[in-house]
C-alpha cells in the first residue's frame, strides 16, 4: 500500500488543518496511507511520524484515525510547526530523506510559506526518488507563483474586525489610531485591509519614504481630518510591522507634534500574533480543499518538485480551473522578485496603492 507523509512548517496559518484533513480523506479514498510528521522539518529529520489513516473496520479500505475531524475548522496546525535551521544543510535533508525511505514513504506534502517551500524544492532536487509537493500557506501572501495562500483571507477578516472595533471607540473620542499588522517584508495585509476597512492612510515596507516624511505626512493628515468644519471623527492609519519606524514612537511623536489641537489623541495598537489565530474562513477552507486535492493528485500522478498555485498566471493547468501546478524553482524566483520589489505583481500593488492613497485620505 502506498504511503505519503504530510508536514506543516514555518509560520502557522489558518487553513493548514483544513488542508491536512482534506489530504487525509483524499488519500484514504485512493487507498494511500497518510503519515503525519510532527513539528515540521525537525520532526522529519528525527523521524517523528504518526499514522493519520488506519484500516477501515473489517475491510481493506482506509479511513482517518479517530479524533482528528474536529481539527479541520481550527486555526494553527495540530501537527505542530517549527523553524528548523538544520534543514538548511544538505546532510540533514539527506537524513530526512532516509527517514522517509526507511518508513517506506514515497512522498511528502509540505504545507508552509516561501521558506518551507524552498526547503521542499531542495529536498526534491537532491532526492528525486521522493515525490515532494508543496501547498502554499502564509498569512503574509508573500509566496511567488500563487495569488493567494492559506490563511490570508482569515487574517484579513481578523484585521478588518479589529479595525471596525477600534474605529467604534476612536470615533467616540476624536482619536487617531495607528494599527500595526503583521508583514515583515510584505505589505499585502496592510494594503488590503486598509482598503477594506476604509482606513485613512497605509504605510508599507515596500515604500521608500523616510521616517520624517512619514511623520510629516501623517501630521498633515490628522490636522486636516480634525480641522474645524471636517466631520471626521476618527483617523485610522494601518502600518505594516516591517516598516522600520516603531509604531509606539510614531504615535508618541505625532501626539507631541499635535499638542496644539485640543482633544485629539493618537494611539498605537499592535495586533501581532492575534492575526495568526482563529477559525479559518470559508474561503481558506475552500482553498485548503482544492489545493490539497491538486497536491494529492500530483502525488498520485508521480510528480515532484511542484507547488499548487491559486489563480496563477504561470504553471500547468489542473482539472480545477483555478489551480495550477507551479515548479518550485519558479516559486523561488518569483518570491525573490516579490521581496526585492522587481516583481510586476509588487510594482502593480505599489501603483495601485498610489492611486488608492489619495482616495483613502478623503
Ligand atoms: P515560512 O515557511 O513560513 O516562510 P521560514 O522562512 O522560517 O518560514 O522557513 C521555515 C523553515 O523552512 C526553516 O526553518 C527551514 O527549516 C526551512 N527553510 C527555509 N529556507 C530554506 C532554505 N533556503 N533551504 C532549506 N530549508 C529552508
Amino acid at each position: 500500500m502506498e504511503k505519503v507523509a504530510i508536514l506543516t512548517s514555518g509560520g502557522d496559518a489558518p487553513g493548514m488543518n483544513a488542508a491536512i484533513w482534506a489530504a487525509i480523506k483524499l488519500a484514504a479514498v485512493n487507498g494511500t496511507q497518510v503519515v503525519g510528521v510532527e513539528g515540521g522539518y525537525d520532526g522529519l529529520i528525527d523521524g517523528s511520524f504518526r499514522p493519520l489513516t488506519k484500516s477501515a473496520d473489517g475491510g481493506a479500505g482506509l479511513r482517518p484515525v479517530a479524533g482528528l475531524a474536529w481539527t479541520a475548522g481550527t486555526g494553527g496546525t495540530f501537527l505542530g510547526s517549527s523553524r528548523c535551521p538544520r534543514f538548511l544543510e544538505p546532510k540533514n535533508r539527506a537524513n530526512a530523506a532516509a527517514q522517509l525511505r526507511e518508513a517506506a514513504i514515497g512522498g511528502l506534502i509540505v504545507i508552509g510559506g516561501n521558506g518551507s517551500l524552498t526547503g521542499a524544492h531542495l529536498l526534491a532536487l537532491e532526492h528525486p526518488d521522493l515525490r515532494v509537493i508543496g501547498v502554499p500557506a502564509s498569512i503574509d501572501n508573500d509566496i511567488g507563483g500563487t495569488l493567494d495562500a492559506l490563511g490570508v483571507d482569515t487574517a484579513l477578516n481578523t484585521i478588518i474586525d479589529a479595525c471596525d472595533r477600534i474605529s467604534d471607540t476612536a470615533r467616540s473620542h476624536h482619536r487617531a489610531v495607528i494599527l500595526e499588522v503583521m508583514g515583515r517584508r510584505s505589505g499585502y495585509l496592510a494594503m488590503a485591509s486598509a482598503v477594506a476597512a476604509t482606513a485613512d492612510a497605509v504605510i508599507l515596507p515596500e515604500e521608500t519614504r523616510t521616517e520624517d516624511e512619514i511623520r510629516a505626512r501623517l501630521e498633515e493628515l490628522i490636522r486636516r481630518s480634525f480641522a474645524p468644519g471636517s466631520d471626521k471623527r476618527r483617523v485610522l492609519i494601518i502600518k505594516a510591522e516591517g516598516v522600520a519606524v516603531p509604531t509606539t514612537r510614531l504615535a508618541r511623536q505625532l501626539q507631541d507634534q499635535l499638542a496644539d489641537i485640543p482633544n485629539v489623541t493618537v494611539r498605537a495598537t499592535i495586533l501581532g500574533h492575534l492575526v495568526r489565530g482563529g477559525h479559518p474562513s470559508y474561503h481558506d477552507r475552500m482553498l485548503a480543499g482544492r489545493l490539497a486535492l491538486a497536491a494529492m493528485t500530483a502525488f498520485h500522478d508521480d510528480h515532484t518538485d511542484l507547488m499548487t498555485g491559486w489563480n496563477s498566471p504561470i504553471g500547468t493547468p489542473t482539472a480545477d480551473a483555478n489551480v495550477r501546478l507551479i515548479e518550485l524553482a519558479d516559486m523561488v524566483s518569483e518570491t525573490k522578485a516579490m521581496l526585492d520589489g522587481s516583481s510586476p505583481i509588487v510594482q502593480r500593488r505599489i501603483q495601485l496603492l498610489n492611486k488608492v492613497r489619495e482616495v483613502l485620505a478623503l
Side-chain angles (χ1 to χ4, degrees), residues 9-11 41 82-85 87-88 93 112-116 118-119 122:
S9 166
Y41 287 130
S82 64
R83 313 272 179 192
C84 171
F87 207 69
L88 301 177
R93 293 195 292 271
N114 58 44
S116 304
T118 302
L122 295 175

Side-chain angles (χ1 to χ4, degrees), residues 88-336:
L88 301 177
E89 293 178 43
K91 74 169 190 314
N92 290 323
R93 293 195 292 271
N95 289 339
Q99 294 282 11
L100 290 171
R101 286 184 203 110
E102 200 172 306
I105 296 169
L108 177 69
I109 308 288
V110 174
I111 306 172
N114 58 44
S116 304
L117 297 172
T118 302
H121 172 51
L122 295 175
L123 184 71
L125 274 184
E126 291 159 1
H127 303 280
D129 57 312
L130 299 171
R131 286 167 273 167
V132 183
I133 310 288
V135 173
S138 157
I139 62 166
D140 292 340
N141 214 10
D142 58 354
I143 303 173
T146 182
L147 288 190
D148 202 353
L150 296 181
V152 176
D153 184 70
T154 307
L156 280 172
N157 286 327
T158 304
I159 295 170
I160 290 165
D161 183 55
C163 289
D164 289 347
R165 285 165 190 263
I166 224 148
S167 294
D168 287 346
T169 169
R171 276 193 201 99
S172 309
H173 296 276
H174 275 100
R175 255 182 209 144
V177 178
I178 307 175
L179 187 87
E180 181 186 301
V181 301
M182 282 198 153
R184 246 175 277 153
R185 296 179 70 190
S186 163
Y188 181 82
L189 285 183
M191 180 176 153
S193 60
V195 174
T198 65
D200 300 280
V202 56
I203 318 167
L204 308 180
E206 288 89 344
E207 308 178 67
T208 51
R209 289 188 291 178
T210 65
E211 180 168 354
D212 286 347
E213 285 167 345
I214 291 172
R215 214 175 41 246
R217 174 82 182 88
L218 294 182
E219 182 186 344
E220 186 272 325
L221 169 74
I222 298 170
R223 282 188 185 281
R224 180 158 41 89
S225 300
F226 291 143
S230 162
D231 60 359
K232 248 186 186 311
R233 300 181 65 88
R234 72 90 158 103
V235 173
L236 178 62
I237 299 150
I238 311 250
K239 173 181 169 292
E241 76 175 312
V243 176
V245 184
T247 302
T248 44
R249 182 170 82 196
L250 188 58
R252 209 174 43 242
Q253 290 176 338
L254 279 168
Q255 180 73 76
D256 290 346
Q257 287 174 216
L258 293 161
D260 57 302
I261 321 182
N263 302 326
V264 169
T265 46
V266 185
R267 292 281 159 86
T269 298
I270 298 171
L271 291 185
H273 280 80
L274 196 105
V275 171
R276 276 199 185 285
H279 299 314
S281 62
Y282 159 73
H283 180 81
D284 277 329
R285 296 180 202 206
M286 178 274 298
L287 205 59
R290 290 167 71 177
L291 295 181
L293 172 62
M296 286 312 303
T297 307
F299 168 78
H300 284 123
D301 289 346
D302 281 338
H303 291 306
T304 186
D305 205 9
L306 296 173
M307 172 189 89
T308 55
W310 183 254
N311 284 333
S312 177
I314 59 170
T316 315
T318 68
D320 184 330
N322 298 104
V323 179
R324 284 174 171 251
L325 295 176
I326 318 297
E327 302 276 344
L328 280 171
D330 291 340
M331 182 285 303
V332 171
S333 56
E334 291 273 322
T335 298
K336 187 169 168 294

